[in-house]
Amino acid sequence: MKKTILLAATSLIIWSCSTPKKQEEKTVEAPVESGLTVSSSDFGQMPDGSAVSLFTMKNDNGVIVKVTNYGGIITSLIAPDKDGNMGDIVLGYDSLSGYLKSSPYFGALIGRYGNRIADAKFSLDGEEYQLQANDGKNHLHGGVKGFDKVLWDASSFKNETSAGVVFSRVSPDGEEGYPGNLTAEVTYALNNDNELTFEYKATTDKKTVVNLTNHAYFNLTGDPSQTILDHELELPANTFLSIDNTLIPTAQTAVEGTPFDFTSATLIGARIGEENEQLAFGKGYDHCWVYTDSSDSLKFGGSLYDPSSGRLMNIYTMEPAIQFYSGNFLDGKLTGKGGINYQFRTGLCLETQHYPDSPNQPEFPSTVLEPGQEYYTKSVYEFTTK
Ligand code: GLA
């Protein structure tokens, strides 16, 4: 009994001399230890014997993101539907061997240059750089052995607000034909708002071009035996880039009155079969939408909704554009997770990026990186329901 009184007397004294006016009792909340976790496990070996890891990020809502340091590939993304049932909403393989054997960039970190570069070449200051033509006469997604097919250094982290993985590597001068030693660092982070954030950084010691993105294939039903044609898509873009029959941009075109108008949420399958030259060239949707807000602030970049499950994915990005690809090359030949053969249009990609072929199109926003500059961009994919 005596101790308390003494204490009370003492505190009263301290309290009274330091602060003249009556101060509110502030209870300092001890930081609630969030349930965010990141762990790593073995994911097999590369043909040269180097070990590959699989990182598993989990948040308090049961959202799980699995990513490997082989190609920065997201192998699984598990999120709740409107009734709280968890489902895997990305396409991919159960093991490393699937990715090593053949993958149309499932869940991959793409670079050095996302999408196509015409005729597999570009020039900088009068010097021409020849790249690998790995998509007909064009160059696609960084070449034959792009960032999606290399082993990255990886370290996981957890802080009060997120858990994640930092991937880093130096792409040597001349890799796949690109100039400059490019030091790249890409962070994937999950927080308790079900947001998966991608942060991309790079520096170079020689003038070069950079356009990094992620190539996840989404199917919000959680059942990739179903197509994505009943998903609703919204893209805040009044224009898109028309393409030629090799998918190289030819002009910036208004979406109004065309099957490319997603300024309000629209069923993907509603117009995909229409008689339309651009749909024919893309074999469906495989085009770059140019955001109406061309600033590099983190802005609303679109949303994808699946009415059957109630899953909604919102995108925010600093990038000026987004490639929407409706999975037109999936042909049932690839057997993915759970032994499912991925049929035509059972997954779609929403790749935030700069425009395709920008190195050859001076009127497009520049993708040039100079020594002394830092390439920095961020995109956030939020998983919710309605
Ligand atoms: C991107 C391209 C598509 C296709 C896929 C990968 O989304 O735009 O044309 O090449 O990659 O198969």
Side-chain angles (χ1 to χ4, degrees), residues 35-358:
L36 287 160
T37 61
V38 55
S39 59
S40 74
S41 55
D42 177 36
F43 197 53
Q45 286 188 341
M46 295 294 285
D48 68 3
S50 32
V52 180
S53 300
L54 184 68
F55 296 87
T56 301
M57 306 170 226
K58 287 184 187 165
N59 75 4
D60 288 359
N61 313 316
V63 171
I64 296 174
V65 179
K66 294 188 179 188
V67 57
T68 172
N69 61 328
Y70 173 66
I73 294 171
I74 296 173
T75 63
S76 284
L77 205 166
I78 295 164
D81 68 8
K82 64 180 185 295
D83 305 318
N85 306 310
M86 306 308 282
D88 190 345
I89 58 171
V90 297
L91 278 53
Y93 296 117
D94 289 316
S95 67
L96 178 64
S97 58
Y99 294 103
L100 292 174
K101 195 157 141 268
S102 161
S103 171
Y105 309 96
F106 285 144
L109 201 178
I110 300 288
R112 290 187 188 188
Y113 196 93
N115 217 290
R116 293 172 174 82
I117 294 179
D119 304 316
K121 62 181 183 210
F122 66 94
S123 295
L124 284 174
D125 300 337
E127 185 160 350
E128 184 173 277
Y129 295 96
Q130 185 63 52
L131 308 171
Q132 304 246 26
N134 59 324
D135 184 60
K137 64 181 181 60
N138 300 323
H139 174 85
L140 175 65
H141 291 331
V144 172
K145 194 173 181 203
F147 282 8
D148 61 299
K149 295 186 183 70
V150 294
L151 203 53
W152 290 72
D153 296 334
S155 62
S156 61
F157 68 89
K158 178 185 169 328
N159 55 37
E160 278 188 16
T161 54
S162 64
V165 185
V166 181
F167 297 109
S168 56
R169 70 180 294 261
V170 176
S171 167
D173 183 21
E175 188 175 62
E176 291 291 324
Y178 289 94
N181 291 297
L182 187 82
T183 302
E185 185 187 282
V186 180
T187 303
Y188 294 16
L190 176 68
N191 66 15
N192 276 330
D193 297 325
N194 296 359
E195 294 172 337
L196 176 58
T197 298
F198 300 89
E199 273 185 297
Y200 305 88
K201 295 178 185 168
T203 55
T204 182
D205 61 2
K206 204 194 269 184
K207 193 170 182 171
T208 191
V209 294
V210 185
N211 187 26
L212 306 182
T213 190
N214 182 275
H215 207 287
Y217 285 69
F218 296 101
N219 186 324
L220 299 186
T221 65
D223 169 12
S225 66
Q226 297 186 47
T227 75
I228 47 81
L229 297 174
D230 293 333
H231 286 45
E232 292 172 12
L233 179 66
E234 179 184 347
L235 296 174
N238 289 338
T239 61
F240 77 106
L241 300 180
S242 296
I243 52 174
D244 64 20
N245 60 3
T246 73
L247 288 94
I248 294 295
T250 54
Q252 189 163 349
T253 308
V255 297
E256 198 177 357
T258 78
F260 294 85
D261 188 346
F262 287 98
T263 49
S264 57
T266 307
L267 218 58
I268 290 172
R271 302 161 297 175
I272 200 167
E274 277 184 21
E275 191 71 30
N276 176 286
E277 182 185 59
Q278 283 300 312
L279 286 173
F281 284 163
K283 295 184 177 49
Y285 293 112
D286 195 354
H287 299 76
C288 178
W289 273 256
V290 174
Y291 289 126
T292 307
D293 173 352
S294 58
S295 72
D296 61 3
S297 61
L298 192 67
K299 55 192 175 278
F300 175 62
S303 71
L304 182 69
Y305 175 59
D306 165 46
S308 69
S309 67
R311 289 193 182 93
L312 170 67
M313 179 176 82
N314 292 316
I315 300 170
Y316 303 89
T317 185
M318 294 171 64
E319 287 300 296
I322 189 165
Q323 181 84 6
F324 165 38
Y325 164 58
S326 54
N328 314 310
F329 294 117
L330 296 173
D331 57 7
K333 291 204 184 85
L334 299 174
T335 305
K337 290 176 277 188
I340 293 187
N341 285 353
Y342 293 138
Q343 303 295 344
F344 188 50
R345 296 181 177 152
T346 53
L348 65 85
C349 305
L350 289 165
E351 309 150 51
T352 54
Q353 56 185 248
H354 273 56
Y355 307 5
D357 199 35
S358 299

